[in-house]
Amino acid sequence: LRLYKCSMFPVETTKGDLMLSECESLGWSTRRWHWVAVATVVALASALPGVALAQTGYPDKPIRLVVGLAAGGPADTIARVVGQRMGEVLGQPMVVENRPGASGNIATDYVARLEADGYTLLMLSTINASNETLSRSMQYKVGTHFTAIAHLAETNNVLVVHPSLPAKNMAEFIAHAKAKPQEMFYANAGIGSSTHLTHALFDMMAGTKMTAVHYRGGGAAMADLLSGQVKIMFASIAPVIGAVREGKLRALSTTGAMRDPAFPELPTVAESVLPGFETQLWLGLSVKAGAPRIVVDKLAAAAAQATDTPNVKDRLVKLGFATLSSTPEKFEAFYKSEVAKWAKVVEVTGMPLQD
């Protein structure tokens, strides 16, 4: 066996620096070569961050799921239902941590500053996609700063009005909005929320110009809607079903591509007045970019198993949500399409950017 002494030197390539060598012959023994080879392998392995071998035991401690919305709302409830089942699949508890505020940016900034080890997840929703355009100070992007894991669930919105508003259908609603814009104030759950963006898209496509009244969450908006302080809202379906059935609110249309099972008698906005109109409130999971692929795949598989569990599906249906299953790649593609969609709405409507 002929052995060699080699000097290593770097060479720059289009894929990074490679180490090449110049060698001279030595008469080393087979035993000495064996120990050099072992030492080299150990050194290379220790130099690679996130080596797959170090992740074979993942997870070996509890996982946090950070939600940028207040406790008690649909996103929080879904995080807890899906998170509990994911924890059972993964063999470690998944603990939900609420960090509301700044249109979800407090939670996003918090997770972005932590280690990319896969032990802290961030719940994504429509508001995260809109923040990539609306927020001046918070410019975290999925695909760059965060890695998409799974698309979990979605629900349509429904246009509800206070009974004192004279419109009985979508055509009458648009006619009234154009005739008396000074009377058209609409409630939403906060700047950049699904309820806000849906109405902005409606105004853009319908040629109407209604005035937004921003609330800190859907609960406060719903209270003023029921009292008649504001008379219009594109609301999530589950919180308003009871009020519509009792006659406290009038439902005019839903926002999906097809009629919603909760309101099968209602036409969609696209069906009745604005072809191509479609919005949903959706939820998904992400992790800080840099987490090992084996971790991302484990989390995605656990999420898919959780949303396919019958009792999880049933609980989400009661909240007005349909469960979804997707790969990280499909969810990232969907998320980026949402970013582009809402960026156009922000630009066309002149929606003010937020600090």
Side-chain angles (χ1 to χ4, degrees):
L1 176 64
R2 182 174 293 277
L3 304 175
Y4 297 87
K5 174 183 178 182
C6 300
S7 299
M8 309 297 290
F9 61 93
V11 174
E12 186 176 345
T13 75
T14 57
K15 296 184 183 246
D17 289 345
L18 296 178
M19 298 299 292
L20 300 184
S21 62
E22 293 180 341
C23 301
E24 60 183 89
S25 176
L26 294 174
W28 290 359
S29 68
T30 303
R31 181 179 297 276
R32 186 174 183 185
W33 170 253
H34 168 77
W35 286 111
V36 170
V38 170
T40 301
V41 170
V42 170
L44 288 172
S46 64
L48 294 174
V51 174
L53 290 175
Q55 298 298 336
T56 54
Y58 176 90
D60 59 8
K61 62 181 181 180
I63 301 167
R64 286 188 295 172
L65 173 51
V66 178
V67 180
L69 299 168
D76 173 68
T77 303
I78 289 171
R80 295 177 190 279
V81 172
V82 174
Q84 179 180 348
R85 179 59 183 141
M86 285 182 66
E88 293 168 358
V89 172
L90 292 166
Q92 289 288 342
M94 187 169 287
V95 181
V96 174
E97 183 176 324
N98 298 93
R99 289 182 175 264
S103 297
N105 284 332
I106 289 176
T108 302
D109 184 58
Y110 172 72
V111 178
R113 295 175 185 273
L114 300 178
E115 186 178 355
D117 58 4
Y119 283 96
T120 305
L121 309 185
L122 176 68
M123 175 77 86
L124 296 177
S125 69
T126 310
I127 202 167
N128 295 93
S130 68
N131 279 343
E132 292 200 14
T133 302
L134 271 174
S135 178
R136 290 192 187 95
S137 59
M138 201 67 62
Q139 291 298 317
Y140 295 118
K141 300 181 184 298
V142 170
T144 303
H145 307 96
F146 288 91
T147 299
I149 294 174
H151 200 171
L152 297 179
E154 67 181 16
T155 183
N156 297 318
N157 290 321
V158 57
L159 177 60
V160 289
V161 299
H162 190 267
S164 60
L165 195 78
K168 300 295 193 299
N169 55 53
M170 291 303 296
E172 292 180 1
F173 178 76
I174 291 176
H176 188 74
K178 289 182 175 180
K180 297 184 178 181
Q182 71 279 3
E183 297 181 1
M184 305 298 279
F185 292 87
Y186 70 91
N188 65 73
I191 296 173
S193 65
S194 174
T195 54
H196 178 212
L197 295 170
T198 297
H199 203 114
L201 178 63
F202 182 88
D203 273 347
M204 185 181 83
M205 294 181 67
T208 53
K209 191 172 183 179
M210 294 173 250
T211 303
V213 182
H214 303 297
Y215 291 82
R216 292 185 176 180
M222 190 58 57
D224 276 4
L225 183 67
L226 288 168
S227 70
Q229 295 296 311
V230 288
K231 298 184 179 182
I232 306 160
M233 186 175 181
F234 274 102
S236 298
I237 286 178
V240 301
I241 289 178
V244 171
R245 300 286 187 249
E246 294 168 6
K248 296 177 180 179
L249 295 173
R250 182 185 304 126
L252 299 183
S253 191
T254 53
T255 65
M258 298 181 292
R259 294 192 180 198
D260 195 279
F263 292 106
E265 74 283 2
L266 288 182
T268 66
V269 175
E271 178 186 349
S272 56
V273 288
L274 299 176
F277 184 96
E278 181 184 353
T279 71
Q280 291 88 22
L281 167 61
W282 53 264
L283 300 168
L285 296 177
S286 68
V287 68
K288 185 178 177 180
R293 181 67 200 205
I294 190 173
V295 170
V296 173
D297 288 342
K298 274 193 172 184
L299 290 167
Q305 190 169 338
T307 55
D308 198 41
T309 302
N311 69 325
V312 171
K313 284 177 175 287
D314 291 344
R315 291 189 67 182
L316 267 61
V317 165
K318 290 177 182 177
L319 293 170
F321 282 79
T323 57
L324 301 168
S325 182
S326 69
T327 64
E329 290 77 16
K330 287 182 179 178
F331 181 42
E332 181 176 328
F334 168 80
Y335 181 91
K336 289 182 175 179
S337 72
E338 286 284 286
V339 172
K341 176 179 181 176
W342 298 121
K344 181 178 179 181
V345 173
V346 170
E347 178 186 0
V348 172
T349 60
M351 198 179 293
L353 303 185
Q354 307 301 304
D355 293 327

